[in-house]
């Protein structure tokens, strides 16, 4: 049987990595060992692209950024995600294509149709079975990732207006895809958030996780 593909989305500082780690442990206790991966990244080439996209100091145009991210996604999908799903493994992915609609589309203003075309090429129609959108106000997100500007990546360093556009794009994606995307409050204790995620996974896939 084909594996399940779960993605985690949200603004910076929403706590995706923590929740992925907690769900990984819960699944493992039930003898499901998922592949944990991230975007941009997840293969050696895609991780190199991630480095450019997050830390390049020279200017990157919006279309270039989108093309780089989708190049990383194409390689990651073909080399890691699809083979794992075909082999029956679960995949927990820290961001997937929704992030491009939110950041490159909402944030940078790349037209929706352009992103749609890139998606068709890079993912060949693959969509997560379930997406958790950890929603968080821009203010709380900034407070969590704030810190020193010299350790922030190109997106964390963006102005609040950019982050507000990203959040609103994610909210629209969730509204348009109610069967795939579950919106959860990212500003609550991690244990409560984890309990909600586990309940949804149990309900959706019929697995017994504690
Ligand atoms: P993030 O997932 O937040 O990782 P970390 O927790 O290590 O900071 O960082 C990835 C950044 O890349 C994030 O700020 C959003 C951005 N991004 C895009 O702009 N488009 C995309 O399609 C993806 C996957 C990520």
């Amino acid at each position: 049987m084909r594996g399940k593909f779960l993605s985690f989305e949200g603004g910076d500082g929403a706590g995706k990595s923590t929740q992925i780690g907690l769900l990984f442990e819960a699944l493992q206790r039930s003898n499901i060992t998922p592949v944990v991966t991230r975007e941009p990244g997840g293969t050696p080439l895609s991780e190199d692209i991630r480095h450019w996209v997050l830390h390049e100091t020279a200017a990157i145009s919006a279309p270039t950024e989108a093309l780089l991210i989708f190049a990383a996604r194409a390689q990651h999908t073909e080399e890691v995600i699809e083979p794992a799903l075909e082999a029956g493994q679960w995949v927990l992915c820290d961001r997937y294509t929704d992030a491009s609609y939110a950041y490159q589309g909402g944030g940078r203003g790349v037209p929706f149709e352009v992103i749609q075309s890139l998606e068709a090429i890079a993912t060949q129609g693959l969509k997560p079975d379930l997406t958790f959108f950890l929603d968080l106000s821009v203010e709380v997100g900034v407070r969590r990732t704030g810190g020193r500007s010299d350790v922030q990546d190109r997106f964390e360093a963006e102005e609040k207006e950019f982050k507000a556009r990203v959040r609103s794009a994610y909210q629209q994606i969730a509204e348009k895809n109610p069967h795939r995307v579950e919106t959860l409050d990212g500003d609550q204790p991690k244990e409560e958030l984890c309990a909600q995620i586990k309940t949804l996974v149990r309900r959706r896939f019929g697995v017994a996780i504690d």
Side-chain angles (χ1 to χ4, degrees), residues 1-2 6 31 34 39 42 66 68-69 72 84 108 117 128 134 139 143 152 160 170 175 189 191 196 202 210:
M1 208 175 74
R2 193 173 159 85
L6 280 68
N31 296 320
E39 291 218 334
L68 285 171
I69 286 174
R108 302 267 193 240
S117 317
L134 311 188
E139 288 68 30
R143 216 180 302 140
Q152 288 184 329
K160 281 194 177 171
Y170 269 131
E175 251 170 56
E191 295 78 12
Q196 291 167 9
R202 257 184 239 117
D210 61 15

Side-chain angles (χ1 to χ4, degrees), residues 12 16-17 38-40 50 54 69 73 94-96 99-100 103-104 153 155-156:
D12 295 285
K16 294 173 287 102
S17 326
R38 68 173 181 181
E39 291 218 334
R50 177 188 179 93
L54 267 61
I69 286 174
R73 178 163 301 128
D94 193 336
R95 302 189 186 281
Y96 197 59
S100 298
Y103 283 82
Q104 281 62 56
D153 66 40
F155 299 97
E156 288 165 349

Side-chain angles (χ1 to χ4, degrees), residues 191-206:
E191 295 78 12
E192 279 168 39
L193 191 48
C194 176
Q196 291 167 9
I197 288 175
K198 287 193 290 191
T199 300
L200 289 163
V201 168
R202 257 184 239 117
R203 249 188 238 153
R204 182 70 63 111
F205 304 114

